[in-house]
């Protein structure tokens, strides 16, 4: 709220001081509109002291009229008194003005004014400074000016023709201001000219004395505001409302309360609608699982045809998205009297026409409005802006609620996105911070009362922010919402000119990360200087926290978030360029030029490319990006094998399809190549692996390749078998088995520690006793061995001639040998021609033959009662094969081989019966053989 204070104007003539005293009386009647009557009379006072009584929102000003004629020189000093406004409704005010005139006339005038007042609010003012320089902020408009306490101006006047004036000193032409009884107009440098009469003009310079500084109910410093005439100024308390956390509110007049509704509410609207479709609204939501506390989600600003929404992208963060009429916009944005831009961590909506701004950063908001435009005319959760907290909890019907928590429920608005909300519901209850165990507030809250924020304590009291911080840390201990209390307090301190670097003291809990290329500063400019604005005068000394360009760099433009070292150009690729730099972007050849246009581009020129032909099966033409120049595509031939007609062949076992693409071609050539494996019975075997051919062979696939089949060779070896049999046994094959079996084929006879092996039908004497004969017979594949003892007949050696005693062929019995013994069996040689198939040897050839007498006899066996026969034949025992050349009748020669007997001996042979043995059956032959054996065994010599 804004409270104007009195300003005094004084007029001096010569050494006489003329003071006009203005008294303003304000009634305390109810809301009404009535005229204010001002009566003016000329009174001459010398040495009097001006006395001013103020009670109302409307400043009154008076100017004494002193006629001057001829060339009389006067010194004139004017003092103006401005009264502070303290109401919000209309109340009649009367003012009486007295003045001094040297003409002796007593003109009077009546002026009708209107003002508004509800109650009279006392204003505490501080002392004034003789000369001060002030920076005023109303909305976001800043201006600086100097206030002087005294000025002396010497003016020489002369009579002028009607409608013109002439002054010595500062002159100006101004539109005349008409008052009752005379004409007046403003000259330059806050100088007023009044036409008295008869072409007499009085020039009065306006001199302003600084008013006393008031105390604002919201605890913030008042701001100086220039009067409408632009000469003097007065103090006002801006309408400043904030909200933060879950959430906590500070009304325009500084009343603190917390409210946990989760609907959409009115923050500010006008009581008497002066601005079309104007208001500020907040959309809250439950931000914890218990649905007991809420947080701000969207701040909505409406002005005429536009609705601005600032929405938190991610809960409990500083990421904010801005939309205008439900369309996302890029910042900065300016249209139809609304300006939106970034200021540090905040998004700011500014309406210059209303001198107001609204900031939001996802965790907190602030609304600043000038008292001169909105004093006594606001309603909503931010309260009534009139520098009085008593009516801040006003309901829509004008009544005052017991507390603002109850009031806040009544400011719901219809929101289609929240059908569960409607005005008039039961009040939202506040969550209790009382737990079974006392809540220990976060150590971060202690920073508000400590040395970190101490420089701000004399400007903004921290107690309410500390209470909000403790509340958040107890109710929502895991969301770090206490950071928002520190953040809004630091922002309020910065608004009062005190910057606090506090985030570094929170041990990382409230840290703020900046994007790449930016750095965090707790005290940065509200509007960061850019290459486009760096040469403009920035008179605001306020600061905000946020991410800014590092030292030595500057933001290129408010809409181009790029930090540059030199202010050249930045194009759509967001890359800084220096003046004179040439580059290519979006297939445009560009140059960065110093001047209004900056970047000048023209289409990129591509070199001429030789035309290529994509002949050949499988080739097709394609346009691709040139790696050396992406703007100039290359036309090349590409290969697509799906266009090829050749198909891969079916290869036989042991072979695989191999394809290769000849140089310069697209389609592959197929052929069957050996796999390097063995093949057996429709199966492939890798080298060194076993191959089953049959169970009697061990086979393996080798690395050797058959030249004809190009397959690997299978090498086999028989299964190892036992080929050694014991004496009397022979290896015989066994059907279905790999190895043979040792089968007994001879009789084995053990005689006197000697082992005799006899084949079937064979007889053999005992090695130590020729009278013992062993024999072997095969009967039905069964070997039968027998032993026979020879019984010699009675022999009388005396009956033999001397020297004729010898053994019979059986080597057992003795007999008397004949004297004329024939020639024994021996080899006889002879020479003769060999004739074969008509061919004959050239010479006689030595041939041999066996000749001699052997023991053949027939004896009677008494035991057998039959004749026993013993037959022996002179036969070869060792022969060799020799070769001889034979001449044939045709004249050719052939090689012929013949048998040459080396030695002869007597050998037993079978004595056959006269009848042929062929006619006997096998069984009869077996019986005959057995009988002969028996007879031979029982053979005795007589």
């Amino acid at each position: 709220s804004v409270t104007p204070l009195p300003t005094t104007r004084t007029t001096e003539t010569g050494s006489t001081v003329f003071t006009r005293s203005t008294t303003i009386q304000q009634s305390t009647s109810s809301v009404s509109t009535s005229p204010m009557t001002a009566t003016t009379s000329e009174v001459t006072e010398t040495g009097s002291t001006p006395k001013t009584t103020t009670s109302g929102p409307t400043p009154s000003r008076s100017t004494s009229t002193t006629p001057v004629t001829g060339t009389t020189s006067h010194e004139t000093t004017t003092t103006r008194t401005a009264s502070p406004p303290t109401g919000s409704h209309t109340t009649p005010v009367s003012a009486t003005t007295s003045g001094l005139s040297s003409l002796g006339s007593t003109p009077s005038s009546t002026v009708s004014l209107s003002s508004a007042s509800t109650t009279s609010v006392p204003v505490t003012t501080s002392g004034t400074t003789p000369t001060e320089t002030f920076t005023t902020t109303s909305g976001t408009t800043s201006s600086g000016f100097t206030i002087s306490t005294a000025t002396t101006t010497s003016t020489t006047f002369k009579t002028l023709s009607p409608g013109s004036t002439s002054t010595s000193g500062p002159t100006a032409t101004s539109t005349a201001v008409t008052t009752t009884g005379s004409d007046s107009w403003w000259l330059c440098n806050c100088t007023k000219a009044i036409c008295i009469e008869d072409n007499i003009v009085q020039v009065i310079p306006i001199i302003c004395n600084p008013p006393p500084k008031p105390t604002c109910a919201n605890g913030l410093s008042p701001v100086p505001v220039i009067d409408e005439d632009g000469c003097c100024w007065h103090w006002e308390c801006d309408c400043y409302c904030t909200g933060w956390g879950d959430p906590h509110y500070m009304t325009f007049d500084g009343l603190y309360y917390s409210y946990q509704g989760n609907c959409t509410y009115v923050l500010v609207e006008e009581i008497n609608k002066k601005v079309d479709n104007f208001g500020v609204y907040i959309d809250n939501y439950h931000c914890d699982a218990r649905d007991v506390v809420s947080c701000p989600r969207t701040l909505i600003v409406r002005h005429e045809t536009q609705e601005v929404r600032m929405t938190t992208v991610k809960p409990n963060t500083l990421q904010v998205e801005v939309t205008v009429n439900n369309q996302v916009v890029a910042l900065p944005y300016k249209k139809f009297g609304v300006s939106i831009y970034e200021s540090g961590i905040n998004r700011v909506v500014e309406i210059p026409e209303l001198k107001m701004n609204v900031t939001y950063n996802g965790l907190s908001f602030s609304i600043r409005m000038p008292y001169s435009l909105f004093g006594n005319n606001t309603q909503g959760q931010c309260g009534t802006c009139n520098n009085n907290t008593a009516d801040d909890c006003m309901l829509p019907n004008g009544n005052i609620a017991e507390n603002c928590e109850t009031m806040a429920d009544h400011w719901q608005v219809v929101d289609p996105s929240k059908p569960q909300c409607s005005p008039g519901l039961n009040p939202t209850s506040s969550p209790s911070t009382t737990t079974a165990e006392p809540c220990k507030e976060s150590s971060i809250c202690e920073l508000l009362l400590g040395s970190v924020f101490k420089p701000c304590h004399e400007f903004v009291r921290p107690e309410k922010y500390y209470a909000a911080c403790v509340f958040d840390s107890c109710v929502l201990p895991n969301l770090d919402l206490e950071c928002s209390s520190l953040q809004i307090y630091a922002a309020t301190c910065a608004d009062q000119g005190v910057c606090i670097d506090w985030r570094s003291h929170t041990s990382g809990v409230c840290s703020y990360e900046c994007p790449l290329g930016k750095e965090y500063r707790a005290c940065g400019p509200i509007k960061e200087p850019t290459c486009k604005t760096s040469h403009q005068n920035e008179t605001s000394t306020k600061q905000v926290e946020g991410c800014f360009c590092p030292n030595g760099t500057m933001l290129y433009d408010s809409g181009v978030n790029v930090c540059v070292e030199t202010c050249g150009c930045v194009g759509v690729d967001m890359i800084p360029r220096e003046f004179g730099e040439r580059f290519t972007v979006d297939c445009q050849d560009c140059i960065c030029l110093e001047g209004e246009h900056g970047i000048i581009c023209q289409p990129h020129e591509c070199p001429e490319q030789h035309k290529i032909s994509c002949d050949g099966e499988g080739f097709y033409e394609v346009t691709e990006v040139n790696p050396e120049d992406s703007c100039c595509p290359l036309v090349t031939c590409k290969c697509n094998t799906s266009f090829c007609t050749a198909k891969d062949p079916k290869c036989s076992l042991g072979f695989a399809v191999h394809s290769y693409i000849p140089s310069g071609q697209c389609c592959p050539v197929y052929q069957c190549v050996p796999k390097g494996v063995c093949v057996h019975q429709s199966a492939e075997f890798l080298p060194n692996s076993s191959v089953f051919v049959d169970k009697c062979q061990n086979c393996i696939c080798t690395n050797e390749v058959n030249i004809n089949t190009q397959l690997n060779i299978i090498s086999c070896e028989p299964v190892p078998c036992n080929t050694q049999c014991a004496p009397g046994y022979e290896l015989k094959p066994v059907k279905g088995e790999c190895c043979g079996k040792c089968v007994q084929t001879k009789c084995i006879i053990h005689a006197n520690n000697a082992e005799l092996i006899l084949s079937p039908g064979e007889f053999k004497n005992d090695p130590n006793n020729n009278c013992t004969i062993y024999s072997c017979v095969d009967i039905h594949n069964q070997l039968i061995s027998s032993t026979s003892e020879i019984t010699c007949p009675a022999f009388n050696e005396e009956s033999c001639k001397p020297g004729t005693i010898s053994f019979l062929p059986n080597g057992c019995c003795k007999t008397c040998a004949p004297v004329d013994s024939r020639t024994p069996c021996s080899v006889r040689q002879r020479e003769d021609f060999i004739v074969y198939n008509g061919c004959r040897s050239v010479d006689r050839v030595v041939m041999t033959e066996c000749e001699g007498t052997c023991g053949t006899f027939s004896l009677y066996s008494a035991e057998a009662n039959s004749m026993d026969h013993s037959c022996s034949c002179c036969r070869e025992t060792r022969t060799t094969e020799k070769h001889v050349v034979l001449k044939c009748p045709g004249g050719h020669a052939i090689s012929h081989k013949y048998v040459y007997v080396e030695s002869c001996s007597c050998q037993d042979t079978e004595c056959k019966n006269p009848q042929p043995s062929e006619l006997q059956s096998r069984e009869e032959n077996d019986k005959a053989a057995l009988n002969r054996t028996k007879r031979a065994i029982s053979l005795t010599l007589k």
Side-chain angles (χ1 to χ4, degrees):
S1 60
V2 182
T3 306
L5 296 180
T7 303
T8 303
R9 293 188 177 186
T10 305
T11 304
E12 295 184 6
T13 304
S15 60
T16 303
V17 178
F18 303 93
T19 302
R20 175 170 300 156
S21 176
T22 302
T23 302
I24 300 176
Q25 297 177 349
Q26 177 178 313
S27 67
T28 59
S29 61
S30 61
V31 177
S32 64
T33 304
S34 61
M36 181 185 72
T37 303
T39 304
T40 305
S41 62
E42 293 187 355
V43 180
T44 303
E45 294 181 321
T46 303
S48 64
T49 302
K51 181 178 180 181
T52 302
T53 303
T54 303
S55 177
T58 306
S60 71
R61 57 189 303 170
S62 64
T63 305
S64 62
T65 303
T66 305
V68 181
T69 61
T71 58
T72 305
S73 176
H74 297 273
E75 279 190 352
T76 302
T77 303
T78 301
T79 302
R80 184 179 76 179
T81 301
S83 60
T86 59
S88 63
H89 299 282
T90 305
T91 304
V93 179
S94 64
T96 303
T97 304
S98 62
L100 171 68
S101 175
S102 61
L103 300 178
S105 62
T106 310
S108 64
S109 62
T110 301
V111 181
S112 296
L113 302 173
S114 63
S115 62
S117 176
T118 301
T119 56
S120 178
V121 181
V123 178
T124 303
T125 61
S126 60
T128 60
T129 305
T131 302
E132 294 183 3
T133 299
F134 292 86
T135 299
T136 66
T137 301
S138 182
T140 58
T141 304
S142 301
S143 61
F145 55 91
T146 303
I147 303 172
S148 301
T149 59
T151 303
T152 302
T153 305
S154 297
T155 307
T156 302
F157 302 89
K158 63 181 179 178
T159 303
L160 303 176
S161 60
S164 64
T165 60
S166 176
T167 62
S168 63
T171 61
T173 301
S174 173
T175 303
V177 178
T178 303
T179 61
T180 304
S182 64
D183 292 335
S184 64
W185 62 93
W186 288 101
L187 303 177
C188 62
N189 296 330
C190 293
T191 303
K192 189 173 186 179
I194 301 176
C195 178
I196 305 301
E197 61 183 356
D198 298 332
N199 293 328
I200 298 175
V201 178
Q202 183 179 20
V203 178
I204 304 174
I206 305 301
I207 300 172
C208 301
N209 291 328
K213 190 174 183 180
T215 299
C216 298
N218 57 16
L220 305 180
S221 299
V223 295
V225 180
I226 299 175
D227 293 343
E228 293 181 1
D229 58 17
C231 293
C232 296
W233 61 277
H234 60 275
W235 293 105
E236 289 185 359
C237 294
D238 270 353
C239 306
Y240 188 71
C241 175
T242 57
W244 71 95
D246 58 350
H248 312 285
Y249 293 90
M250 195 81 76
T251 65
F252 287 131
D253 295 334
L255 182 63
Y256 167 78
Y257 70 95
S258 297
Y259 176 67
Q260 280 73 40
N262 70 324
C263 298
T264 303
Y265 305 92
V266 176
L267 288 177
V268 182
E269 282 185 348
E270 289 184 301
I271 299 175
N272 299 316
K273 309 297 182 183
K274 299 179 181 179
V275 182
D276 184 30
N277 190 30
F278 171 77
V280 183
Y281 309 88
I282 189 168
D283 171 16
N284 290 339
Y285 74 104
H286 285 313
C287 53
D288 76 319
R290 298 169 297 168
D291 292 343
V292 295
V293 295
S294 59
C295 299
R297 175 165 54 195
T298 303
L299 202 68
I300 306 166
V301 181
R302 291 177 183 166
H303 179 253
E304 296 181 349
T305 61
Q306 300 188 92
E307 180 181 273
V308 180
R309 286 178 171 264
M310 296 180 284
T311 305
T312 304
V313 176
K314 185 179 179 181
N316 301 323
T317 65
L318 300 179
Q319 302 177 24
V320 177
E321 180 184 74
V322 180
T323 62
V324 177
N325 294 338
N326 296 321
Q327 296 294 325
V328 179
V329 296
L331 304 185
Y333 169 91
K334 189 173 184 181
K335 190 175 183 181
F336 299 148
V338 175
S339 177
I340 312 172
Y341 57 90
E342 294 185 23
S343 179
I345 64 174
N346 300 312
R347 306 297 186 273
V348 181
V349 178
E350 181 179 303
I351 306 177
E353 177 187 0
L354 304 180
K355 300 179 182 179
M356 68 165 291
N357 64 37
V358 179
T359 67
Y360 183 65
N361 57 31
L363 296 178
S364 62
F365 70 85
S366 68
I367 304 172
R368 179 181 290 278
M369 307 166 70
Y371 180 87
S372 58
L373 296 180
F374 294 94
N376 295 299
N377 195 30
T378 63
Q379 61 181 355
Q381 290 184 341
C382 280
T384 305
C385 178
N386 60 0
N387 208 35
N388 182 8
T389 59
D391 58 357
D392 277 0
C393 301
M394 187 174 69
L395 301 175
N397 59 9
N399 296 330
I400 307 301
E402 294 182 0
N403 55 68
C404 287
E405 288 82 358
T406 302
M407 171 271 294
D409 268 318
H410 289 78
W411 289 107
Q412 288 186 31
V413 296
V414 177
D415 187 346
S417 65
K418 294 186 174 182
Q420 76 278 7
C421 298
S422 61
L425 293 178
N426 294 330
T428 302
S429 59
S430 300
S432 174
T433 59
T434 303
T435 58
E437 297 181 1
C439 172
K440 179 173 175 37
E441 67 273 10
S442 171
S443 60
I444 294 177
C445 299
E446 299 292 338
L447 296 176
L448 288 166
L449 305 178
S451 59
V452 175
F453 285 95
K454 186 176 181 179
C456 184
H457 289 173
E458 62 177 301
F459 298 95
V460 182
R461 298 305 302 167
E463 287 78 8
K464 297 175 182 178
Y465 301 93
Y466 175 77
C469 182
V470 172
F471 179 89
D472 291 345
S473 66
C474 290
V475 177
L476 297 173
N478 298 321
L479 293 183
D480 297 332
L481 276 181
E482 54 267 30
C483 297
S484 62
S485 295
L486 277 69
Q487 185 269 321
I488 193 67
Y489 181 66
T492 306
C493 293
D495 183 79
Q496 298 300 299
V498 181
C499 181
I500 305 294
D501 187 358
W502 60 277
R503 291 189 183 271
S504 58
H505 298 275
T506 62
S507 302
V509 176
C510 302
S511 61
Y512 185 73
E513 297 294 332
C514 289
L516 187 65
K518 294 290 190 77
E519 64 181 17
Y520 173 80
R521 293 182 197 165
C523 307
I526 290 180
K527 290 188 176 181
E528 187 174 6
T530 68
C531 290
K532 306 298 184 183
T533 62
S534 58
H535 301 294
Q536 300 177 6
N537 292 327
E538 177 62 49
T539 58
S540 176
T541 59
K542 295 184 178 181
Q543 295 177 310
V544 294
E545 66 168 332
C547 297
F548 301 92
C549 289
N551 292 330
T553 64
M554 178 180 292
L555 190 66
Y556 179 76
D557 199 0
S558 56
V560 182
N561 195 20
V562 177
C563 298
V564 297
E565 295 180 357
T566 58
C567 290
C569 307
V570 175
V572 294
D573 56 356
M574 306 303 286
I575 299 176
R577 313 283 184 180
E578 296 183 357
F579 291 127
E581 181 179 349
R582 295 181 180 272
F583 57 96
T584 300
V585 61
D586 290 342
C587 296
Q588 297 277 317
D589 291 330
C590 304
I591 182 172
C592 174
L593 297 177
E594 188 172 6
E596 179 179 356
H597 297 289
I599 297 177
I600 304 298
C601 298
Q602 60 184 6
H604 181 66
E605 294 184 0
C606 296
E608 184 178 356
Q609 184 179 356
H610 297 291
K611 185 173 180 58
I612 61 173
S613 176
C614 297
D615 296 331
E617 188 180 15
F619 285 110
Y620 68 98
E621 190 176 285
V622 66
T623 301
E624 61 182 10
V625 177
N626 187 347
E628 297 179 357
D629 189 349
S630 60
C631 296
C632 298
L634 294 176
V635 178
T636 59
C637 290
K638 290 293 184 180
C639 171
N640 189 344
T641 55
S642 64
F643 297 158
C644 299
T645 57
K647 303 299 181 182
D648 54 323
K650 298 295 182 181
C651 295
S652 59
L653 210 60
F655 293 84
V657 177
H658 172 71
S659 64
Y660 68 97
I661 299 176
S663 177
Q665 296 185 19
C666 171
C667 295
V669 175
Y670 299 99
Q671 62 181 8
C672 294
V673 297
K675 292 183 179 179
V677 297
C678 299
V679 176
H680 177 69
Q681 294 183 348
S682 301
E684 295 179 350
F685 300 89
L686 294 174
N688 300 320
S689 62
S690 298
V691 181
F692 179 80
V693 175
D694 60 56
K695 65 179 182 180
C696 297
Q697 297 186 83
N698 289 331
C699 300
I700 189 171
C701 180
T702 67
N703 287 306
E704 297 181 19
V705 178
N706 188 316
I707 298 176
N708 296 325
T709 63
Q710 296 186 355
L711 297 174
N712 288 29
I713 297 174
I714 298 176
S715 176
C716 296
E717 294 181 354
V719 174
C721 295
N722 181 19
T723 59
Q724 300 296 325
C725 293
Y729 289 81
E730 291 183 5
L731 190 64
K732 299 290 183 178
V734 179
K735 185 177 181 180
E737 298 293 335
C738 298
C739 297
K741 183 179 181 181
C742 289
V743 179
Q744 185 175 356
T745 58
K746 297 181 180 181
C747 295
I748 304 172
I749 301 173
H750 299 278
N752 298 324
N753 297 328
E755 187 177 73
L756 299 179
I757 305 299
L758 299 179
S759 298
E762 184 181 4
F763 301 89
K764 189 172 287 188
N765 296 89
D766 189 303
N768 301 317
N769 182 9
N770 286 335
C771 293
T772 301
I773 300 174
Y774 300 99
S775 64
C776 179
V777 180
D778 183 0
I779 301 176
H780 298 300
N781 295 325
Q782 181 178 3
L783 296 175
I784 299 174
S785 61
S786 62
T787 304
S788 301
E789 294 292 337
I790 298 176
T791 302
C792 294
F795 174 69
N796 186 6
E797 292 183 358
E798 295 179 355
S799 64
C800 294
K801 295 181 179 181
T804 62
I805 297 175
S806 65
F807 286 92
L808 291 174
N810 57 21
C812 174
C813 298
K814 294 180 180 179
T815 186
C816 294
V819 178
D820 54 347
S821 177
R822 295 186 178 183
T823 304
C825 180
S826 63
V827 177
R828 184 175 66 85
Q829 291 184 349
R830 64 184 179 89
E831 293 183 359
D832 198 357
F833 291 99
I834 295 179
V835 179
Y836 180 75
N837 289 339
C839 300
R840 194 185 75 165
S841 62
V842 178
D843 299 320
R844 291 180 182 273
V845 178
V846 176
M847 293 182 292
T848 57
E849 57 188 17
C850 292
E851 186 179 53
T853 302
C854 291
T856 299
F857 60 89
S858 295
L859 295 177
Y860 173 80
S861 174
E863 182 180 0
N865 193 26
S866 66
M867 294 295 294
D868 282 335
H869 306 280
S870 176
C871 297
S872 179
C873 180
C874 181
R875 301 180 60 179
E876 69 276 9
T877 58
R878 185 166 58 88
T879 61
T880 59
E881 189 176 82
K882 291 189 176 184
H883 294 266
V884 64
V885 178
L886 304 180
K887 290 290 185 176
C888 298
H892 62 279
I894 62 173
S895 177
H896 177 70
K897 54 185 178 180
Y898 67 98
V899 178
Y900 183 85
V901 178
E902 296 286 345
S903 62
C904 298
S905 65
C906 291
Q907 298 183 24
D908 293 338
T909 184
E910 184 178 354
C911 297
K912 293 184 178 181
N913 294 325
Q915 65 272 16
S917 60
E918 297 85 8
L919 301 178
Q920 296 179 358
S921 64
R922 181 177 180 181
E923 186 173 338
E924 293 175 344
N925 290 335
D926 292 338
K927 290 180 178 180
L930 181 59
N931 292 331
R932 287 195 300 271
T933 302
K934 291 179 177 179
R935 286 196 300 270
I937 294 173
S938 61
L939 180 64
T940 57
L941 293 176
K942 302 262 181 106

